[in-house]
């Protein structure tokens, strides 16, 4: 797995890189602040997950997260913020910006490991209750090509939601439609994930489930 670690404090960055490395076999790329990380992402770097300090000069972790969430090519990227701040206002701001997770300094091995386990559960755990594409087409009375069209449409809707849901009742209705779409297309694990907090993690899991189903449908 490719992991991007971003922190302007070199000691904290090295410590976080060590903890990431202790959680499995990962290729780690480092950035010395948010601006450096954004330059690498714009140049084509595509990590599987980002661990990023919240407060940095030039471009803060929150500002980097906002840029990532508004970029269609990066919007689904799991993004974990790391900070000494543990107040509810800061954590709420991070969640509203689309953070996939939040670790409070001083961090420990278990704090990092839990993020990997939560954001990247085993594929069979995600797929255990999902229907095979051929079962879905039989239930809906459609052909495999129509299923692919539906899945492509759902993938676009999930990606759009990762850029930000509407506020209030409209956002709740949008989320309900996504859950209904996942259920209709046999993605029951994704529908369940969208009903749990944090929302960013649920959307990331839903996007991954839709993409897996698209691949399965292509082989059907």
């Amino acid at each position: 797995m490719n992991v991007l670690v971003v922190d302007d404090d070199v000691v904290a960055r090295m410590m976080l890189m060590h903890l990431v490395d202790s959680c499995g076999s990962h290729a780690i790329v480092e950035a010395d602040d948010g601006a450096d990380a954004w330059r690498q992402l714009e140049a084509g770097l595509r990590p599987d997950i980002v661990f990023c300090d919240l407060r940095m000069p030039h471009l803060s972790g929150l500002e980097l997260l906002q840029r990532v969430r508004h970029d269609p090519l990066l919007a689904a990227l799991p993004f974990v913020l790391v900070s000494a701040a543990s107040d509810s206002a800061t954590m709420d701001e991070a969640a509203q910006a689309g953070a996939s997770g939040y670790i409070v300094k001083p961090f420990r091995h278990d704090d990092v490991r839990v993020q990997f386990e939560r954001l990247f559960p085993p594929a069979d755990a995600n797929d255990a209750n999902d229907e095979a594409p051929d079962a879905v087409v039989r239930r809906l009375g459609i052909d495999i090509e129509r299923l692919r069209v539906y899945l492509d449409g759902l993938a676009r809707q999930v990606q759009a939601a990762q850029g930000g849901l509407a506020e209030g009742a409209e956002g709740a209705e949008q989320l309900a439609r996504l859950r209904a779409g996942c259920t209709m297309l046999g993605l029951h694990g994704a529908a369940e994930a969208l009903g749990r907090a944090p929302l960013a993690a649920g959307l990331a899991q839903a996007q991954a489930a839709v993409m897996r189903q698209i691949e399965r449908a292509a082989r059907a």
Side-chain angles (χ1 to χ4, degrees), residues 21-115:
D21 189 58
S22 70
C23 290
S25 179
H26 304 301
I28 302 174
V29 178
E30 57 184 306
D32 53 24
D33 59 31
D36 180 29
W38 183 245
R39 282 192 296 269
Q40 294 188 54
L41 292 169
E42 281 195 308
L45 177 65
R46 292 295 180 266
D48 296 298
I49 185 172
V50 176
F51 287 90
C52 181
D53 188 36
L54 178 64
R55 296 193 172 102
M56 296 178 292
H58 309 304
L59 191 69
S60 72
L62 194 61
E63 290 168 332
L64 176 61
L65 171 59
Q66 290 168 339
R67 290 192 183 188
V68 165
R69 290 292 178 252
H70 285 90
D71 187 316
L73 298 177
L74 299 168
L77 177 61
F79 197 110
V80 178
L81 283 169
V82 180
S83 175
S86 59
D87 59 284
S88 59
T90 301
M91 291 183 174
D92 287 346
E93 186 179 17
Q96 291 171 9
S100 309
Y102 194 98
I103 298 176
V104 177
K105 295 180 179 179
F107 36 73
R108 304 165 300 167
H109 171 269
D110 284 349
D111 297 327
V112 178
R113 176 184 55 78
V114 164
Q115 297 299 324

Side-chain angles (χ1 to χ4, degrees):
M1 184 178 297
N2 296 318
V3 182
L4 174 60
V5 175
V6 189
D7 199 316
D8 62 307
D9 183 328
V10 64
V11 174
R13 188 168 75 243
M14 293 298 293
M15 182 180 299
L16 184 52
M17 290 170 63
H18 171 71
L19 292 178
V20 167
D21 189 58
S22 70
C23 290
S25 179
H26 304 301
I28 302 174
V29 178
E30 57 184 306
D32 53 24
D33 59 31
D36 180 29
W38 183 245
R39 282 192 296 269
Q40 294 188 54
L41 292 169
E42 281 195 308
L45 177 65
R46 292 295 180 266
D48 296 298
I49 185 172
V50 176
F51 287 90
C52 181
D53 188 36
L54 178 64
R55 296 193 172 102
M56 296 178 292
H58 309 304
L59 191 69
S60 72
L62 194 61
E63 290 168 332
L64 176 61
L65 171 59
Q66 290 168 339
R67 290 192 183 188
V68 165
R69 290 292 178 252
H70 285 90
D71 187 316
L73 298 177
L74 299 168
L77 177 61
F79 197 110
V80 178
L81 283 169
V82 180
S83 175
S86 59
D87 59 284
S88 59
T90 301
M91 291 183 174
D92 287 346
E93 186 179 17
Q96 291 171 9
S100 309
Y102 194 98
I103 298 176
V104 177
K105 295 180 179 179
F107 36 73
R108 304 165 300 167
H109 171 269
D110 284 349
D111 297 327
V112 178
R113 176 184 55 78
V114 164
Q115 297 299 324
F116 279 109
E117 292 179 351
R118 183 175 60 82
L119 294 170
F120 300 98
D124 57 356
N126 280 326
D127 295 337
N129 296 318
D130 290 353
E131 297 177 57
D134 57 349
V136 176
V137 298
R138 287 196 302 271
R139 174 168 55 80
L140 296 179
I142 59 177
D143 59 26
I144 196 68
E145 293 302 323
R146 177 54 56 182
L147 176 61
R148 291 173 185 168
V149 171
Y150 288 165
L151 287 167
D152 287 341
L154 180 60
R156 289 193 295 271
Q157 290 178 23
V158 173
Q159 187 176 49
Q162 288 175 315
L165 289 171
E167 296 184 0
E170 185 179 350
E173 182 180 349
Q174 185 180 355
L175 183 59
R177 287 198 302 268
L178 288 177
R179 294 187 68 187
C182 288
T183 300
M184 183 186 77
L185 299 180
L187 302 174
H188 304 293
E192 181 181 348
L194 289 172
R196 298 193 302 262
L199 178 58
L203 287 167
Q205 290 185 32
Q207 182 76 349
V210 174
M211 298 311 295
R212 283 195 300 273
Q213 191 76 325
I214 289 173
E215 292 176 2
R216 295 169 73 190
R219 296 194 298 267

